[in-house]
């Protein structure tokens, strides 16, 4: 009789304890994100990526690209050559627009969860899984976070894909997408020039042109152009320095 | 702000707009959309924002509707007086200078941006931008809220040796792209072509505007 009560007491305690521990860890994690965000308030405006990012699907893969400027406030360039293309898995990349601190915290979390997920599933993760993880994080922390993401990659199930997770946590799949402060200037250009099923060369030229045009008009985008080409065989990182960018009529 | 209606001071009529003017060899092409909005509603969907300052000089209006129209009327009057005094057709540069004078003197009170374009005998087709009181001659100029979305497109597509036909296409394409992305631009496209022979006014209806690739269709 006493044994049963003891056993019952022990298992009861264990259940309560696990529940408390889960809550505790969850709170720690949320605090981790809030801490990152508050830390960025303590400076003038935090490091933000006034940015231009884009992703384009072509015949056989995706290209994801960005500029390389990080600014603090609107007038100080804190880095001329930052790489905003983060690899979250072998064939899945993310690019970030908005507060750099938020973006790094979220992508770190997503990278961890994605690798755990791919171990559990015993196969490379789907691009949609990566995008869903970002969406979960963005949506549940929408009050504190200020970052939007483009997730692009290749998986065996659906081939090349691009997902965009916007500021509030909406998830959308598109054949091409642009983001960041510099993207407003190239909406007209990409609307006019995008064709579905481009070749690799055409898609590369399209991305470089679009980024160069945006960098030419947006004062918080600039530096070099980073491109990552993701296809089934692998991943290639291309950097186009400022002097090799295409010039347009007034330059 | 919660319920989507803007509170505070009553929002005047704003011409969130797209205006564009391009110079070609022998004349200019000026274009605009036709939407006038007050807050979230469209109060006029067919407003012609290309207003004549003189026979061969037009200006494109953007910003606050009242301010822009008033400036255009005042300059129209001043230009008439000036052309009687000098006994010949006024220069585009004179018209632009008059607009600039008003924009600069009252820059705190006014919030309108006019692009002045036209043809005169001395310098052919000319386009002047007069934003905030500055005066600058440019091969082409864009303005209004919708212009941000087409900066990349016009930078990439403009060439200095376009013919009259190509200029008109360029203007119509740019307006169509801007109207499809900017919530404050829309309606029909007005295009005015001015050269030594005269002035040609065209109105392109919404369903006749060029369309571009849309992934959702």
């Amino acid at each position: 009789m006493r044994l049963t009560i003891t056993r019952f007491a022990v298992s009861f305690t264990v259940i309560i304890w696990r529940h408390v521990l889960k809550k505790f860890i969850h709170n720690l994690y949320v605090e981790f994100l809030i801490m990152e965000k508050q830390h960025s308030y303590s400076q003038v405006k935090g490091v933000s990526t006034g940015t231009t990012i884009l992703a384009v699907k072509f015949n056989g893969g995706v290209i994801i690209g960005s500029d390389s400027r990080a600014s603090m406030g609107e007038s100080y360039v804190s880095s001329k050559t930052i790489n905003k293309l983060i690899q979250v898995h072998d064939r899945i990349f993310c690019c970030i627009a908005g507060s750099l601190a938020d973006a790094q915290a979220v992508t770190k979390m997503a990278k961890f969860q994605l690798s755990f997920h791919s171990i559990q599933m015993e196969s490379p993760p789907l691009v949609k899984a990566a995008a869903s993880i970002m969406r979960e994080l963005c949506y549940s922390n929408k009050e504190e976070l200020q970052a939007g993401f483009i997730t692009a990659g290749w998986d065996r199930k659906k081939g090349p894909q691009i997902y965009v997770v916007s500021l509030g946590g909406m998830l959308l799949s598109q054949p091409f997408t642009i983001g960041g402060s510099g993207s407003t200037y190239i909406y007209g250009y990409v609307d006019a020039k995008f064709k579905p099923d481009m070749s690799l060369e055409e898609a590369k030229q399209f991305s470089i042109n679009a980024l160069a045009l945006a960098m030419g008009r947006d004062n918080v985008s600039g530096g070099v152009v980073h491109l990552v080409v993701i296809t089934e065989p692998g991943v290639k990182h291309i950097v186009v320095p400022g002097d090799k960018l295409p010039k347009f009529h007034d330059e | 702000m919660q319920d989507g209606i803007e509170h505070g001071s009553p929002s005047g009529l704003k011409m969130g707009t797209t205006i564009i003017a391009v110079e070609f060899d022998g004349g200019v092409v000026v274009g605009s959309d036709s939407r006038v909005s007050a807050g979230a509603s469209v109060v006029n969907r067919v407003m012609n924002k290309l207003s004549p300052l003189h026979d061969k000089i037009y200006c494109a209006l953007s910003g606050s509707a009242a301010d822009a129209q008033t400036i255009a009327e005042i300059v129209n009057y001043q230009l008439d007086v000036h052309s009687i005094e000098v006994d010949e057709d006024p220069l585009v540069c004179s018209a632009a200078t008059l607009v600039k004078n008003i924009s600069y003197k009252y820059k705190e009170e006014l919030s309108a941006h006019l692009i002045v374009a036209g043809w005169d005998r001395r310098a052919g087709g000319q386009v002047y931008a007069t934003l905030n009181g500055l005066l600058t001659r440019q091969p082409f100029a864009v303005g209004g809220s919708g212009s941000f979305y087409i900066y990349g497109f016009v930078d990439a597509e403009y060439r200095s040796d376009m013919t009259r036909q190509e200029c008109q296409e360029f203007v119509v394409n740019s307006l169509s792209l801007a109207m499809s992305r900017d919530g404050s631009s829309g309606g029909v496209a007005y295009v005015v072509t001015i050269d030594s022979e005269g002035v040609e006014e065209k109105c392109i209806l919404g369903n006749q505007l060029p369309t571009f690739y849309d992934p959702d269709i």
Side-chain angles (χ1 to χ4, degrees):
Chain A
M1 174 67 170
R2 198 176 285 181
L3 196 57
T4 327
I5 294 177
T6 320
R7 274 204 195 131
F8 177 67
V10 166
S11 43
F12 187 64
T13 320
V14 166
I15 292 171
I16 301 287
W17 203 212
R18 273 169 71 177
H19 182 73
V20 168
L21 215 54
K22 234 197 249 176
K23 271 263 175 236
F24 180 61
I25 292 185
H26 176 76
N27 283 344
L28 261 188
Y29 156 63
V30 168
E31 260 187 46
F32 163 64
L33 281 172
I34 296 178
M35 204 167 71
E36 289 275 340
K37 180 73 181 152
Q38 281 177 352
H39 191 59
S40 70
Y41 276 144
S42 67
Q43 293 159 312
V44 170
K45 223 176 158 189
V47 176
S48 107
T49 56
T51 253
T52 314
I53 53 179
L54 64 69
V56 181
K57 201 162 38 168
F58 66 91
N59 205 352
V62 293
I63 294 186
I64 190 168
S66 79
D67 71 313
S68 69
R69 181 174 290 186
S71 48
M72 230 150 67
E74 304 267 301
S75 54
Y76 177 64
V77 176
S78 53
S79 169
K80 290 184 281 189
T81 49
I82 191 174
N83 188 359
K84 303 177 193 174
L85 306 174
I86 318 259
Q87 184 165 23
V88 292
H89 206 262
D90 292 342
R91 298 239 187 329
I92 307 178
F93 273 73
C94 261
C95 56
I96 49 188
S99 158
L100 190 49
D102 288 343
Q104 284 188 340
V106 173
T107 44
K108 239 193 278 190
M109 203 65 219
K111 212 167 162 174
F112 161 73
Q113 288 192 6
L114 204 56
S115 64
F116 193 60
H117 169 75
S118 87
I119 290 172
Q120 276 185 319
M121 305 296 286
E122 284 179 19
S123 73
L126 299 179
V127 186
K128 188 150 194 193
S132 303
I133 292 174
M134 311 290 264
R135 187 264 310 268
E136 261 323 295
L137 293 170
C138 285
Y139 185 69
S140 7
N141 297 295
K142 60 156 66 162
E143 316 299 326
E144 289 95 5
L145 290 178
Q146 254 212 336
F149 298 86
I150 296 180
T151 309
W154 184 95
D155 64 44
R156 207 195 306 267
K157 186 171 169 195
K158 282 204 196 152
Q161 296 146 75
I162 296 173
Y163 292 92
V164 58
V165 177
S166 61
L167 221 57
M170 172 179 78
L171 176 64
L172 208 54
S173 166
Q174 296 191 307
F176 75 91
T177 183
I178 53 181
S181 61
S183 67
T184 47
Y185 304 103
I186 48 173
Y187 270 111
Y189 180 78
V190 299
D191 277 345
K193 294 287 166 177
F194 175 76
K195 295 184 317 276
D197 276 336
M198 289 190 279
S199 69
L200 170 58
E201 276 317 306
E202 289 173 329
K204 233 170 46 178
Q205 200 52 48
F206 171 80
S207 317
I208 294 175
N209 283 347
L211 286 169
L213 287 165
M215 280 155 49
R217 285 289 183 178
D218 184 24
N219 64 336
V220 287
S221 299
V224 305
V225 164
H226 286 289
L227 288 182
V228 169
V229 182
I230 309 170
T231 49
E232 179 179 358
V235 158
K236 201 157 85 131
H237 187 176
I238 306 172
V239 175
V240 184
D243 57 349
K244 302 275 190 319
L245 289 175
K247 293 200 186 312
F248 298 95
H249 70 99
D250 56 358
E251 295 165 283
Chain B
M1 284 298 254
Q2 288 291 330
D3 47 359
I5 308 173
E6 284 171 5
H7 298 281
S9 60
S11 46
L13 282 184
K14 255 206 156 307
M15 292 195 282
T17 265
T18 312
I19 51 178
I20 172 171
V22 187
E23 173 194 320
F24 63 91
D25 187 17
V28 290
V29 180
V30 201
S32 82
D33 72 308
S34 68
R35 180 173 290 184
V36 181
S37 42
S41 64
V42 176
V43 295
N44 187 343
R45 56 189 161 96
V46 286
M47 159 113 192
N48 191 344
K49 300 176 190 175
L50 304 177
S51 157
L53 295 178
H54 201 80
D55 294 338
K56 293 225 171 88
I57 307 176
Y58 271 65
C59 73
L61 316 172
S62 76
S64 152
D67 290 346
Q69 280 188 333
T70 310
I71 298 177
E73 274 173 26
I74 293 174
V75 173
N76 189 354
Y77 162 74
Q78 289 176 339
L79 215 48
D80 274 343
V81 171
H82 170 72
S83 85
I84 290 172
E85 280 177 350
V86 299
D87 202 19
E88 65 175 22
D89 283 337
L91 301 175
V92 186
C93 182
S94 318
T97 308
L98 290 170
V99 173
K100 179 264 287 180
N101 286 342
I102 301 178
S103 301
Y104 182 69
K105 186 161 182 202
Y106 299 103
K107 90 196 304 224
E108 306 303 323
E109 290 98 338
L110 298 175
S111 73
H113 168 36
L114 274 66
I115 296 180
V116 179
W119 182 94
D120 65 42
R121 223 180 4 218
R122 202 184 286 186
Q126 297 145 77
V127 171
Y128 291 87
T130 63
L131 184 62
N132 272 344
L134 91 87
L135 176 64
T136 171
R137 180 175 173 194
Q138 294 177 203
F140 72 91
V142 293
S145 58
S147 67
F148 293 109
Y149 302 102
I150 49 173
Y151 271 120
F153 178 77
V154 299
D155 277 342
E157 293 296 293
Y158 174 75
R159 288 180 334 269
S160 48
D161 57 352
M162 290 198 282
T163 64
R164 178 197 169 106
Q165 187 63 21
E166 289 171 335
C167 267
Q168 286 176 333
E169 271 175 32
F170 174 70
V171 163
V172 169
N173 283 343
S174 310
L175 287 173
S176 172
L177 285 165
M179 280 162 36
S180 72
R181 282 290 181 179
D182 181 27
S184 325
S185 301
V188 304
Y190 289 102
V191 180
V192 165
T193 314
I194 310 169
D195 59 13
S196 58
E197 261 112 70
V199 169
E200 180 201 331
E201 294 191 17
K202 243 187 340 195
C203 169
I204 301 172
L205 299 181
N207 61 348
Q208 291 160 356
L209 287 170
T211 52
F212 298 90
Y213 175 75
D214 191 341
D216 301 318
I217 294 183

